[in-house]
Amino acid sequence: MSKYSIKQFVQQTKQEESARDFFELETDRLLEVNLNGQVWAKAGSMISYEGNIKFEREGMLEHGLGKFVKKALSGEGAQLMKANGQGKLYVADSGKKITILDLEGESIFINGNDLLAFQNGLDWDIKLMRRVAGMMAGGLFNVRLEGHGLVAFTSHYEPLTLLVTPDTPVFTDPNATVAWSGNLEPDFVTDVQLKSFFGRGSGESVQMKFSGNGFVVVQPFEEIYHAPQG
């Protein structure tokens, strides 16, 4: 049905009142946070809220000098905002599909540009991929989250999870890599012969190699990153 009366449109698209979980997918591309306390979200991702909620951009030294230095090097892609209070908060990122994970003591790496929101109390740290610096224009950092709580990340279209085993390493395009299990440390390899076939972004001859036991999440889209301006 492509045409609606106003009553039909409101009925079809209105928010779901029965939601009770801390994170709820209002749609595949819109996250509802049922806030009673604090949550971290990507800066600029808030599209609407109701209730008594106060927003703050992350303080420069809020998480210590080490993280501040890493954030300065990684640019704006990992910039976070803090929402405190009680009410409903709606966040989204450029219409990308949202996935919610409930960490139960596990850890996960998420590309800094794809991290949408996470529950206060999770341990997190920014990891710079120094070995690939100079090979790519940007997208050189990710965020490692660990503990108990909810985290939401985004992807262009449907994500695909590839299993990594000792007998089956997985190679991915860095511009299409969204997340991977916290026990994996990717290597970066170059293959000039694959330059015309493996990816179309700035790091087209660079691949991420995942070895061991775990998983890696990719998207059917190549993110184009911009290096932070100095």
Side-chain angles (χ1 to χ4, degrees), residues 39-96:
V39 68
W40 290 96
K42 185 175 182 177
S45 65
M46 187 270 286
I47 61 169
S48 181
Y49 75 94
E50 55 188 66
N52 184 19
I53 302 176
K54 181 181 178 183
F55 299 92
E56 298 177 61
R57 188 173 282 268
E58 182 185 7
M60 287 176 59
L61 299 177
E62 184 162 349
H63 302 287
L65 182 60
K67 285 186 181 178
F68 168 68
V69 171
K70 292 181 200 175
K71 291 178 70 61
L73 290 172
S74 63
E76 285 295 312
Q79 188 67 49
L80 298 171
M81 69 175 182
K82 182 169 52 176
N84 281 290
Q86 191 167 12
K88 290 184 183 293
L89 169 64
Y90 297 93
V91 295
D93 186 11
S94 301
K96 295 196 289 184

Side-chain angles (χ1 to χ4, degrees), residues 19-224:
R20 292 184 183 144
D21 288 343
F22 183 68
F23 280 180
E24 287 280 352
L25 284 180
E26 198 61 29
T27 71
D28 286 346
R29 301 169 195 280
L30 182 60
L31 178 69
E32 177 186 274
V33 183
N34 293 291
L35 190 61
N36 186 14
Q38 179 175 301
V39 68
W40 290 96
K42 185 175 182 177
S45 65
M46 187 270 286
I47 61 169
S48 181
Y49 75 94
E50 55 188 66
N52 184 19
I53 302 176
K54 181 181 178 183
F55 299 92
E56 298 177 61
R57 188 173 282 268
E58 182 185 7
M60 287 176 59
L61 299 177
E62 184 162 349
H63 302 287
L65 182 60
K67 285 186 181 178
F68 168 68
V69 171
K70 292 181 200 175
K71 291 178 70 61
L73 290 172
S74 63
E76 285 295 312
Q79 188 67 49
L80 298 171
M81 69 175 182
K82 182 169 52 176
N84 281 290
Q86 191 167 12
K88 290 184 183 293
L89 169 64
Y90 297 93
V91 295
D93 186 11
S94 301
K96 295 196 289 184
K97 181 178 175 62
I98 299 170
T99 299
I100 301 172
L101 296 178
D102 188 0
L103 299 185
E104 298 178 337
E106 304 104 329
S107 60
I108 188 170
F109 286 97
I110 299 176
N111 184 297
N113 195 54
D114 300 317
L115 179 61
L116 181 62
F118 60 92
Q119 202 163 4
N120 190 42
L122 284 172
D123 292 326
W124 64 277
D125 195 12
I126 295 171
K127 302 292 184 180
L128 293 176
M129 296 188 277
R130 292 185 180 88
R131 284 170 293 178
V132 78
M135 298 180 189
M136 298 173 60
L140 305 178
F141 67 96
N142 49 73
V143 181
R144 187 180 191 273
L145 299 110
E146 184 175 17
H148 291 80
L150 298 169
V151 57
F153 66 86
T154 60
S155 61
H156 287 276
Y157 312 107
E158 299 291 334
L160 173 67
T161 300
L162 304 169
L163 297 182
V164 180
T165 68
D167 297 327
T168 312
V170 173
F171 296 81
T172 66
D173 182 337
N175 292 325
T177 305
V178 175
W180 57 93
S181 47
N183 60 305
L184 297 182
E185 290 283 350
D187 289 320
F188 292 88
V189 296
T190 58
D191 190 336
V192 176
Q193 293 179 339
L194 287 177
K195 186 171 183 179
S196 299
F197 305 100
F198 203 100
R200 295 169 292 137
S202 58
E204 57 190 6
S205 65
V206 182
Q207 300 112 53
M208 298 176 76
K209 179 183 179 182
F210 294 89
S211 304
N213 284 292
F215 63 87
V216 57
V217 181
V218 294
Q219 62 183 0
F221 184 94
E222 289 176 87
E223 201 93 46
I224 302 301

